[in-house]
Amino acid sequence: MMRAGAKQYVVARPLYSEESFAEKHEKVYRQHKTMLNHVKDYFTCDAKRAKNAALSLLPVIGWLKIYQVKEWLLSDIVSGVSTGLVAVLQGLAYCLLASLPPWYGLFSAFFPVIIYFFLGTSRHISVGPFPVLCLMIGSVVTRLVPDEGPPVNITGFEGLTRDEQRVLVASSVTFLAGIMQLAMGVLQVGFVVMYLSDTLVSGFTTAAAIHILVSQLKFVLGLQVPGISGPLSIIYTLEIIFNKITSTNVCDVVISLVIMVVVFIVKELNDRFKSKLPVPIPIEVIMTVIACGVSYAFDFKTKYGIEVVGHIPKGYEPPMAPNLHVFQDTAVEAFPMAIVGFAVAFSVAKVYSVKHDYTIDGNQELIAFGVSNIFGASFKSFAASTALSRSAVQESTGGKTQIAGLLSAFIVMVVTLAIGFLLEPLPKSVLGAVVIVNLKGMLMQFRDIPYLWRRDKPDCVVWLGTCIAAILLGLDLGLAVGLGVELLSVVLRAQFPRCSVLVNIKGTDIYKDRKDYLDIYEPEGVKIFRIPSPIFFANIEFFRTKLVEAVGFNPLRVLRKRNKALRMIRKLLKKGDLQWTSKGFLNTSCGPIKESEDESNMEDLDLPTDFKDLPVRIDWNAELPANIIVPRVDVHSLILDFAAVSFLDISALKGLKTSLKELIRVEVEVYIVACDPYILEKLHHCCFFDDEVQPSMFFLTLHDAMLHILEKHPQCTEKKSDCEKIITTVTIHHSEGNFRSRDRNAPDPETRF
């Protein structure tokens, strides 16, 4: 009995197969659009669509119309100034990762921000240099223009200094990455970022943090280390650093340690007391100003030989065209830059959009970053994305819209045009220390490994594979390897799904894995097989193998044995060694009967068993004449649960039909349940059905098929007690809160759904 107050339900309805359900319930006819219809719709234009297109291309119009000046303006000003100070410092620091003169980082913190203000859909991210992208650009720059030796022979390098050549390479590869982002945005393929899972991005950025840490050691230690790119570059760089460790500049080490300790402590305090602080303490800016003043006052450059930022030119340089020859040499590196830059920015933007309840458009973000990088590259800036720490400053200091970003660009412009000279005595070791401290968040991702190993080992393998490959092979190849490992894990999960045999939970219409429950009911001769994945060319053989394991016999082998037995019986009847009597077959041969070894017409053994010229139909589970042995088949019904099968390809259709025919030919009734309507429609279009495989084998639910089998084979339940039988009556919960039994003798009227 059910306890009082328990929620129950009853469904009083006929038993439905797919055919009977379709006969009783008329479907709504829906005309499916052809590819031509989609193309026409895409290129159709009217006033409303033109207006929507303009608003989507210029999202600034949408949020400016709802801008609340009194409530938001002051917050945006405070946020813009705070973010601008951080952007100046990070622009100088991250530029070292790109192996470029520091002031070019100020260009990257200015030009892309202006374009993103008009085209971007996120209101909170801070656009500008991103350390991982800077490092990827640096590897391209040092490959084409190495620290030692001549540059690669490229037309357009003639008459340029090494720094000018590097700037040309960086701006050209940025321009190319921008073109790729713009093309993907126009073609509406922003979904490609979905292939970069959180696990892959975590492993990749952790490896990037290791690369960044190693690249900054030369500034922290005050060593002259040439830039190295390519596979195992991190190993070679560490080897050079250890060989030169005795030449370490003590002053640089002391400055770096002081900066790192103070910045780390204050950042921790910012995190702990962020609810009480009106704005985070800009400790990097404060320590930079102090270090700059101390370096100028005590002339660190002359007395201790430390390397400083040096001369920072005032103003902006004239625009220049990208070098097409650089395009040819950097196309392979530009594509992962475009993907990584967009993926990181979109991930951060998505977090803030959910937090502040507005929507972002992935394709428009691609267009925004593409145009930003193209425009910025024309003015000698390098690839822009968003730095997590800088975006956190913009959001946590009260930034409401990209007006805060525009004001941060104004602060950067002031430094570039007016007060940049004040940063000339700044030690590069300070910038290196700031970069290293800001790696904390990415390096702490190593804590994900134990969690992933316990929760999802394939994801852990993706994380480790991406991280190790990116560390050893470089970021571009590492990203490709990580993507390959990730796709391989998906393919393997789909190719080798966890198939199961289901059973009925006693007294319910619920079916679960036989291995997981004790109170179960499994009718004799009935098997229920479930595959929880699409069936396609890569896993159809796995499906067939698991199906054979589930039913406990190989139907093709049994069919061949039966046809061989029939061939033997016909031969014996023809020779007179076997006769049919009222009591059955009688063996009239005196000697032992040997099994025929005739291998001719082997293909006939795969055909359905034919009894037309025999005096009686053979009962294969009974004792056969003449000591003929055929494997016994105890299964008379098989249900295939297709609830989790989302699609079938042509190879799967052929393999499935072959398996169904083999089972049907050994007198096993097959039923397919919970099949997706589109798969069923595809089966009809592909001429899947014939005289053996018929549409009548498809049922709406697993319980419908089971009840049909029990009705057709009542002997399945004869040996079972009443309490073990599958429930066929249920109760209904009325709105008054009473429960009524669906008893035929009950006076209450029936309630049907």
Side-chain angles (χ1 to χ4, degrees):
M1 291 179 63
M2 301 293 291
R3 63 179 177 82
K7 291 184 178 180
Q8 305 175 53
Y9 75 91
V10 137
V11 177
R13 64 169 177 81
L15 190 154
Y16 283 128
S17 67
E18 289 283 358
E19 286 186 329
S20 61
F21 185 81
E23 290 172 1
K24 262 200 169 184
H25 301 274
E26 185 179 357
K27 287 185 69 175
V28 175
Y29 175 74
R30 291 184 296 169
Q31 184 176 4
H32 297 291
K33 289 186 177 181
T34 64
M35 183 63 70
L36 183 60
N37 295 136
H38 285 292
V39 172
K40 287 181 178 179
D41 290 344
Y42 185 80
F43 288 103
T44 300
C45 185
D46 54 27
K48 183 178 179 181
R49 187 164 184 181
K51 179 182 177 181
N52 291 335
L55 290 175
S56 66
L57 288 174
L58 290 172
V60 63
I61 299 174
W63 59 261
L64 272 181
K65 291 191 298 183
I66 61 171
Y67 191 81
Q68 302 173 25
V69 178
K70 293 182 180 180
E71 290 81 2
W72 293 357
L73 184 58
L74 181 60
S75 298
D76 278 341
I77 292 173
V78 174
S79 175
V81 173
S82 303
T83 308
L85 294 175
V86 176
V88 169
L89 181 59
Q90 291 188 350
L92 295 172
Y94 294 158
C95 201
L96 300 180
L97 298 173
S99 301
L100 299 174
W103 63 86
Y104 285 99
L106 299 177
F107 298 171
S108 296
F110 175 74
F111 290 108
V113 179
I114 304 299
I115 299 300
Y116 190 85
F117 173 81
F118 295 100
L119 300 181
T121 58
S122 174
R123 304 176 195 171
H124 292 88
I125 65 171
S126 175
V127 177
F130 176 55
V132 177
L133 273 185
C134 294
L135 192 66
M136 297 175 78
I137 291 171
S139 67
V140 176
V141 167
T142 53
R143 178 173 67 83
L144 297 183
V145 188
D147 289 329
E148 297 176 354
V152 175
N153 186 18
I154 293 179
T155 304
F157 276 6
E158 301 84 0
L160 300 179
T161 64
R162 191 183 68 177
D163 283 346
E164 290 173 340
Q165 291 173 346
R166 290 188 164 187
V167 170
L168 179 61
V169 170
S171 61
S172 297
V173 72
T174 297
F175 196 98
L176 182 57
I179 291 175
M180 292 177 177
Q181 289 174 329
L182 179 60
M184 287 190 289
V186 171
L187 296 175
Q188 305 284 295
V189 292
F191 63 86
V192 294
V193 73
M194 302 305 173
Y195 290 99
L196 303 180
S197 67
D198 292 342
T199 305
L200 184 145
V201 172
S202 175
F204 178 76
T205 52
T206 304
I210 300 294
H211 277 283
I212 293 169
L213 176 63
V214 172
S215 70
Q216 295 306 292
L217 288 179
K218 64 180 180 181
F219 299 111
V220 170
L221 300 175
L223 300 175
Q224 295 295 324
V225 179
I228 302 173
S229 61
L232 301 180
S233 61
I234 192 171
I235 306 296
Y236 300 138
T237 302
L238 286 172
E239 180 186 9
I240 295 172
I241 290 174
F242 285 128
N243 289 336
K244 294 185 175 183
I245 198 71
T246 55
S247 303
T248 299
N249 189 312
V250 178
C251 183
D252 274 325
V253 174
V254 172
I255 292 173
S256 301
L257 289 176
V258 171
I259 295 292
M260 284 191 283
V261 170
V262 174
V263 171
F264 178 79
I265 292 174
V266 177
K267 275 182 168 288
E268 289 297 311
L269 293 175
N270 280 340
D271 288 339
R272 181 166 298 183
F273 300 105
K274 60 183 177 182
S275 60
K276 298 181 180 179
L277 293 171
V279 293
I281 301 172
I283 187 61
E284 293 113 320
V285 177
I286 294 172
M287 294 304 296
T288 300
V289 172
I290 294 174
C292 200
V294 172
S295 174
Y296 177 76
F298 293 96
D299 196 11
F300 281 176
K301 180 180 180 182
T302 304
K303 289 184 178 180
Y304 302 105
I306 66 173
E307 192 174 357
V308 298
V309 171
H311 175 65
I312 297 180
K314 284 187 178 182
Y316 294 103
E317 300 182 14
M320 69 173 185
N323 188 303
L324 298 180
H325 297 280
V326 174
F327 281 5
Q328 298 174 3
D329 289 337
T330 60
V332 175
E333 290 99 333
F335 184 71
M337 286 181 201
I339 295 296
V340 170
F342 167 65
V344 172
F346 185 72
S347 300
V348 177
K350 190 162 57 175
V351 170
Y352 289 129
S353 70
V354 172
K355 181 177 179 180
H356 295 279
D357 192 24
Y358 62 90
T359 58
I360 56 173
D361 183 352
N363 293 310
Q364 181 60 28
E365 287 293 293
L366 272 171
I367 293 173
F369 278 104
V371 176
S372 296
N373 283 324
I374 291 172
F375 180 74
S378 302
F379 289 91
K380 302 184 181 179
S381 77
F382 50 84
S385 180
T386 181
L388 281 68
S389 58
R390 195 170 61 248
S391 294
V393 169
Q394 180 165 319
E395 192 268 343
S396 62
T397 52
K400 304 296 183 184
T401 64
Q402 280 300 329
I403 286 180
L406 195 64
L407 290 173
S408 72
F410 177 77
I411 299 296
V412 175
M413 183 182 69
V414 170
V415 173
T416 305
L417 296 177
I419 60 175
F421 68 94
L422 296 176
L423 298 173
E424 291 179 3
L426 179 64
K428 287 187 177 180
S429 56
V430 173
L431 300 177
V434 170
V435 171
I436 290 174
V437 171
N438 280 296
L439 295 177
K440 179 201 166 190
M442 288 193 284
L443 291 174
M444 292 300 285
Q445 293 176 134
F446 275 111
R447 295 184 299 182
D448 293 348
I449 297 176
Y451 172 83
L452 289 172
W453 184 255
R454 290 193 301 268
R455 300 295 190 274
D456 196 321
K457 289 181 175 59
D459 264 0
C460 188
V461 171
V462 171
W463 196 101
L464 290 172
T466 304
C467 186
I468 294 172
I471 290 173
L472 297 179
L473 303 179
L475 296 181
D476 47 357
L477 292 177
L479 181 63
V481 170
L483 190 59
V485 173
E486 180 183 53
L487 295 179
L488 182 62
S489 73
V490 173
V491 169
L492 290 178
R493 292 191 209 199
Q495 188 171 351
F496 304 106
R498 186 182 177 276
C499 301
S500 56
V501 175
L502 305 183
V503 292
N504 177 252
I505 304 300
K506 287 182 183 177
T508 72
D509 60 347
I510 298 170
Y511 296 80
K512 294 290 184 180
D513 193 334
R514 181 171 58 185
K515 299 177 182 178
D516 295 338
Y517 293 88
L518 296 175
D519 194 22
I520 60 176
Y521 171 54
E522 188 174 17
E524 290 185 3
V526 181
K527 293 288 183 182
I528 307 171
F529 181 74
R530 181 177 187 270
I531 178 168
S533 80
I535 306 176
F536 57 106
F537 66 93
N539 69 356
I540 181 60
E541 290 305 320
F542 178 81
F543 165 77
R544 296 182 66 185
T545 302
K546 287 296 180 181
L547 183 59
V548 168
E549 293 178 8
V551 297
F553 63 90
N554 187 323
L556 183 59
R557 179 173 174 269
V558 171
L559 177 64
R560 288 174 176 174
K561 286 283 187 180
R562 288 184 179 182
N563 278 325
K564 279 187 177 181
L566 288 175
R567 185 181 291 181
M568 173 68 72
I569 290 172
R570 289 190 179 96
K571 187 175 181 181
L572 293 175
L573 287 171
K574 185 176 181 181
K575 292 172 63 177
D577 293 337
L578 193 66
Q579 292 182 357
W580 171 253
T581 66
S582 59
K583 295 183 179 181
F585 284 106
L586 177 65
N587 186 4
T588 59
S589 174
C590 299
I593 299 175
K594 295 183 179 181
E595 184 176 352
S596 174
E597 299 294 334
D598 183 16
E599 297 295 331
S600 62
N601 298 324
M602 288 296 293
E603 62 274 8
D604 293 344
L605 299 179
D606 295 344
L607 298 176
T609 51
D610 185 7
F611 303 100
K612 64 181 180 181
D613 56 348
L614 294 178
V616 68
R617 187 180 181 88
I618 304 296
D619 181 2
W620 296 109
N621 287 333
E623 185 177 352
L624 299 179
N627 297 323
I628 296 174
I629 299 176
V630 172
R632 182 182 177 89
V633 176
D634 295 322
V635 177
H636 59 72
S637 301
L638 171 68
I639 302 176
L640 299 179
D641 183 1
F642 270 30
V645 179
S646 56
F647 73 87
L648 295 167
D649 67 1
I650 296 300
S651 300
L653 289 180
K654 293 178 180 178
L656 176 64
K657 188 171 184 177
T658 300
S659 294
L660 296 182
K661 283 193 171 186
E662 291 172 358
L663 288 162
I664 291 169
R665 288 172 182 178
V666 294
E667 300 173 7
V668 175
E669 299 169 4
V670 184
Y671 303 93
I672 299 177
V673 302
C675 185
D676 187 275
Y678 294 101
I679 293 180
L680 202 55
E681 185 179 338
K682 182 176 183 178
L683 296 180
H684 284 283
H685 289 165
C686 294
C687 301
F688 182 78
F689 301 107
D690 54 24
D691 293 337
E692 293 178 284
V693 181
Q694 299 180 352
S696 58
M697 67 170 52
F698 286 83
F699 279 75
L700 275 186
T701 70
L702 210 164
H703 201 57
D704 281 311
M706 179 61 78
L707 295 179
H708 173 77
I709 292 170
L710 296 180
E711 184 180 359
K712 192 172 183 180
H713 300 274
Q715 71 275 12
C716 295
T717 57
E718 286 177 358
K719 297 180 181 180
K720 300 291 180 181
S721 62
D722 291 338
C723 64
E724 290 181 330
K725 293 182 180 179
I726 295 177
I727 189 169
T728 56
T729 62
V730 279
T731 52
I732 185 164
H733 183 217
H734 289 269
S735 58
E736 300 84 26
N738 299 322
F739 294 95
R740 300 184 181 180
S741 173
R742 285 290 293 111
D743 189 348
R744 292 182 182 178
N745 299 321
D748 297 319
E750 292 185 355
T751 303
R752 297 179 180 272
F753 292 86

